Amino acid sequence: MRTRRLGSTGPTVSALGLGAMGMSGGAYGEPDRAEAIATVHAALDAGVTLIDTGDFYAMGHNEMLLGEALRGRDRDSYTLSVKFGALRGPGHVFSGQDNRPEAVKNFLAYSLTRLGTDHVDVYRPARLDPAVPIEDTVGAIAEMIDAGHVRHVGLSEVDAATIRRAHAVHPISDLQIEYSLLSRAVEADVLPTLRELGIGLTAYGVLGRGLISGHWTAGHTAPGDVRSATPRFAAGNVEHNLALVEALREVAAARSCTVAQLALAWVAARGDDIVPLVGARTRARLDEALPAADLTLGADDLARIEQAVPAGSARGDRYPAAFMASLGVGN
């Protein structure tokens, strides 16, 4: 597995990371605990070292699952990226974000316990808290770095101005944000700002929550699947978006790879400072994704991909309207 560094101050990690959210809670379909743990093990054995989670994924279940999966592994052999601060009530309903310094330390203490570790490698607020200056939040994480409980500060889904303010308090290793062929808003202001400041990018939603995996079909969502409420999967939008996937499939066939591999390789090709996260819930999906790390795209490939899925060609927002307001950038 090739490696990349998360910015000029962050850790060196595998060129592809593992996003663990789908392994808990049924957001993308009913998970299989045994298969999830086996997938984590397979990823580590294949050289994947970056594992991403959030303390609010299935109300802490995801961290406990990873704690079990990582038990007995050399702690220096993997990098844990953890998001915090999202508030949820009974029924798992989201109810805001709490980034107060005292909340930062509280959330971290619970995460360390659930994960069974003495430190988190990259710690980041899941979203911006409009009631708390980002300087205060980053300052609290910096205190936890000084105390040995955290190694690096990360950010998630914030705009260029917030990145600058945060970076002025403490060096930021990376920004985690959605980036895919369907979601390219970061290219306007955010990505140039990251590169100016020497900050990396970990890209989630690289396969559009399965929409551009090459496996999705209209009407596929099951009860409880969050995609049933996501505009890009809605009737009238999903058919248009799947037509883009079919155009992409022709490019993939010419390169003797799958649509998913091509979509992952495209994000990785946007720069050596970008690490795509693979949201694989099974070993089969992981096995399909891993070859993307070695798939090199030439100028002709990139031109054909751009023609198949031009910037801004996706139909529908990437989140329901209620969530769009919490994002630093749009689609």
Side-chain angles (χ1 to χ4, degrees):
M1 174 64 70
R2 299 178 183 180
T3 60
R4 295 183 171 187
R5 189 174 184 186
L6 295 182
S8 59
T9 64
T12 296
V13 299
S14 50
L16 292 178
L18 179 66
M21 187 185 82
M23 296 179 176
S24 300
Y28 297 136
E30 192 63 31
D32 181 323
R33 182 183 184 85
E35 180 61 24
I37 291 174
T39 301
V40 174
H41 291 167
L44 293 170
D45 293 342
V48 174
T49 62
L50 176 61
I51 303 176
D52 179 78
T53 185
D55 63 9
F56 51 93
Y57 289 172
M59 313 303 289
H61 178 279
N62 200 240
E63 288 183 322
M64 292 188 287
L65 177 76
L66 289 177
E68 180 179 346
L70 296 170
R71 191 173 300 133
R73 296 273 178 165
D74 180 358
R75 183 61 184 84
D76 293 330
S77 68
Y78 58 87
T79 298
L80 277 174
S81 166
V82 178
K83 293 181 291 297
F84 70 87
L87 302 177
R88 306 183 76 171
H92 299 185
V93 177
F94 284 98
S95 57
Q97 180 79 18
D98 188 353
N99 293 353
R100 293 172 302 142
E102 56 268 39
V104 171
K105 298 169 187 178
N106 176 76
F107 290 137
L108 177 61
Y110 279 95
S111 286
L112 293 175
T113 300
R114 288 189 289 254
L115 288 164
T117 184
D118 63 354
H119 72 278
V120 166
D121 297 289
V122 185
Y123 202 49
R124 68 183 86 241
R127 295 290 186 271
L128 191 65
D129 182 345
V132 180
I134 191 63
E135 291 86 350
D136 293 356
T137 304
V138 171
I141 301 174
E143 289 181 22
M144 294 297 92
I145 290 176
D146 292 340
H149 303 307
V150 174
R151 297 289 185 265
H152 304 279
V153 181
L155 297 173
S156 177
E157 287 288 357
V158 295
D159 60 16
T162 302
I163 294 168
R164 292 185 184 279
R165 289 170 54 197
H167 192 66
V169 175
H170 189 280
I172 304 300
S173 65
D174 67 303
L175 169 72
Q176 185 175 124
I177 199 164
E178 187 164 350
Y179 189 22
S180 74
L181 280 163
L182 301 184
S183 299
R184 298 176 60 175
V186 298
E187 294 176 345
D189 297 315
V190 168
L191 192 52
T193 299
L194 296 178
R195 287 174 171 161
E196 175 192 338
L197 300 176
I199 300 171
L201 187 153
T202 46
Y204 77 89
V206 178
L207 299 182
R209 297 170 181 80
L211 185 56
I212 53 173
S213 66
H215 303 291
W216 191 264
T217 56
H220 185 75
T221 52
D225 191 316
V226 296
R227 289 169 290 197
S228 63
T230 302
R232 284 184 181 164
F233 291 84
N237 290 340
V238 70
E239 294 84 1
H240 168 85
N241 295 330
L242 287 175
L244 299 176
V245 177
E246 291 310 305
L248 196 62
R249 197 184 303 276
E250 294 182 14
V251 184
R255 283 303 312 266
S256 300
C257 67
T258 69
V259 175
Q261 290 165 356
L262 191 69
L264 283 162
W266 181 87
V267 173
R270 307 308 283 178
D272 290 339
D273 51 354
I274 298 173
V275 176
L277 297 173
V278 178
R281 296 189 293 132
T282 66
R283 285 167 288 180
R285 290 289 181 257
L286 176 69
D287 288 344
E288 179 186 6
L290 290 176
D294 295 317
L295 180 57
T296 301
L297 301 178
D300 289 345
D301 297 319
L302 295 172
R304 291 194 65 194
I305 293 170
E306 188 73 28
Q307 184 177 18
V309 188
S313 59
R315 186 172 293 173
D317 288 336
R318 59 190 176 104
Y319 279 105
F323 285 89
M324 290 299 292
S326 68
L327 306 179
V329 297
N331 289 314

